[in-house]
Amino acid sequence: MRILWMAFLVCCVMHGQAQNTPEQFEPGIISTGGEFGLTISPDSRIALWVYSGGGRDTLQIMQSEKFRGKWTKPVVASFSTRNADWKDIDPMFSVDGKTVLFQSNRPVAGKPERKGFDIWAVKRNGNGWTEPYHLGNTINTDSSESFASMAGNGNIYFMKSNEDGVGSSDIYVSAWKDVEYQVPQNLGVPINTRGRESNPYISPEEDYLIYFSTDSSGYGEIDLYISFRKDGNWGKPINLGMPINSAVAEFCPFVHQKEKKLYFSRQTRNGKRFTEQLISVDFDVEKYRK
């Protein structure tokens, strides 16, 4: 009996350690080496992500659903491009799971000259999706906007090219007020630097932000950082550390609140191509809060 009990304890310890180690998400089924930008519905039943094939010439949003505990074979999401007529990226579920934000360079009504990415949205409609809709030309501009995430109050955080030229890209927020999105505001320091900041995941209560930065103090080319908001101000960013960050690039963070997991993407460059994997790890945000 004692031997069995000791074996049980060893298994528990090993299981706990495995959960604290970043692991490829559904290898061979969803993560096959050419995917990034995973988001999962609050009820853990729908997964959406970007299929890149290791390049940027074709970008489609893929979908899988969990059935009897297993993820189904991926298909192109009904609201994404079928024939690569345009590119769709960075899906992100809203807090209630009823809306998905994503970015696309598909044509925008009245803006034939616009070629970059704009923020779009689609709503869940029974077992399917509504027609995607553009979020307007206040939050969207002729600069390229990408990786948008929504707080519980509707405020949207996203990346766009920095218009003042201080950094190559910065993180902005557009407040949801009077039933419309307001002029985006640059978050400023200490979030944005002279480098590149992007891929902001905002918490439901808007009390913390996880994003990537090319800050030279990191472990690799691109690392994930967290900043906490207190009294309306963002605190000094904290590197999420190893083993989440590594010598290669980590990007596209997403925290599943119910699962208490951090999902992100890891990228290795192979010449002009990439190997991109979807990664998951147990995540306790309080570990970083000071």
Side-chain angles (χ1 to χ4, degrees):
M1 185 67 180
R2 179 180 175 81
I3 294 175
L4 289 175
W5 175 246
M6 291 299 292
F8 173 74
L9 290 178
V10 169
C11 287
C12 288
V13 171
M14 291 179 67
H15 180 66
Q17 290 175 339
Q19 289 185 320
N20 291 326
T21 301
E23 298 176 344
Q24 191 175 359
F25 177 71
E26 295 296 323
I29 300 173
I30 291 178
S31 184
T32 65
E35 296 82 17
F36 66 87
L38 176 72
T39 186
I40 298 176
S41 60
D43 62 6
S44 299
R45 291 182 53 218
I46 303 171
L48 299 169
W49 66 94
V50 180
Y51 174 74
S52 70
R56 293 296 181 265
D57 48 342
T58 299
L59 297 170
Q60 297 172 297
I61 295 177
M62 306 297 293
Q63 177 175 333
S64 177
E65 299 189 37
K66 188 174 282 186
F67 181 70
R68 294 180 179 176
K70 295 184 178 181
W71 291 102
T72 59
K73 182 179 179 180
V75 297
V76 179
S78 64
F79 57 87
S80 188
T81 178
R82 286 292 195 278
N83 301 312
D85 293 330
W86 53 75
K87 299 175 182 179
D88 297 325
I89 58 172
D90 302 340
M92 183 69 72
F93 274 100
S94 61
V95 175
D96 61 10
K98 296 179 180 179
T99 303
V100 169
L101 301 178
F102 69 101
Q103 288 73 64
S104 180
N105 65 352
R106 65 186 66 192
V108 176
K111 296 287 183 178
E113 75 286 354
R114 188 169 293 177
K115 304 301 181 183
F117 286 98
D118 274 7
I119 304 172
W120 293 69
V122 64
K123 291 187 178 295
R124 192 68 177 156
N125 182 16
N127 293 324
W129 304 98
T130 63
E131 286 296 315
Y133 56 96
H134 188 257
L135 289 194
N137 293 311
T138 299
I139 187 172
N140 290 306
T141 66
D142 288 341
S143 294
S144 197
E145 290 82 18
S146 67
F147 205 92
S149 65
M150 185 189 298
N153 60 9
N155 293 348
I156 291 179
Y157 289 70
F158 61 98
M159 180 285 291
K160 76 170 181 174
S161 301
N162 193 1
E163 295 170 334
D164 65 15
V166 174
S168 59
S169 67
D170 276 353
I171 295 172
Y172 288 72
V173 60
S174 176
W176 176 248
K177 185 178 179 181
D178 299 328
V179 201
E180 62 182 356
Y181 283 104
Q182 307 300 303
V183 174
Q185 302 297 312
N186 188 305
L187 291 192
V189 295
I191 302 297
N192 293 317
T193 70
R194 291 184 177 275
R196 182 182 174 208
E197 279 72 41
S198 186
N199 291 187
Y201 166 80
I202 187 66
S203 66
E205 293 78 22
E206 218 170 0
D207 61 333
Y208 68 87
L209 183 77
I210 299 177
Y211 63 99
F212 87 57
S213 175
T214 57
D215 189 311
S216 60
S217 65
Y219 296 92
E221 177 186 358
I222 297 174
D223 275 7
L224 297 179
Y225 289 78
I226 188 169
S227 175
F228 292 93
R229 189 167 181 252
K230 187 176 182 180
D231 299 326
N233 297 312
W234 290 104
K236 182 180 179 180
I238 302 167
N239 189 295
L240 290 186
M242 298 179 72
I244 291 175
N245 288 316
S246 70
V248 297
E250 283 76 33
F251 63 117
C252 290
F254 161 68
V255 177
H256 196 289
Q257 299 295 321
K258 184 178 179 181
E259 295 178 4
K260 298 187 183 303
K261 283 186 177 292
L262 170 67
Y263 293 90
F264 62 97
S265 305
R266 182 168 282 163
Q267 181 191 82
T268 304
R269 186 183 294 272
N270 303 306
K272 295 183 178 181
R273 307 293 290 180
F274 305 103
T275 296
E276 295 174 312
Q277 298 178 335
L278 304 174
I279 307 292
S280 70
V281 66
D282 285 354
F283 187 71
D284 179 9
V285 68
E286 298 306 322
K287 170 184 173 182
Y288 300 92
R289 200 188 299 269
K290 296 181 179 180

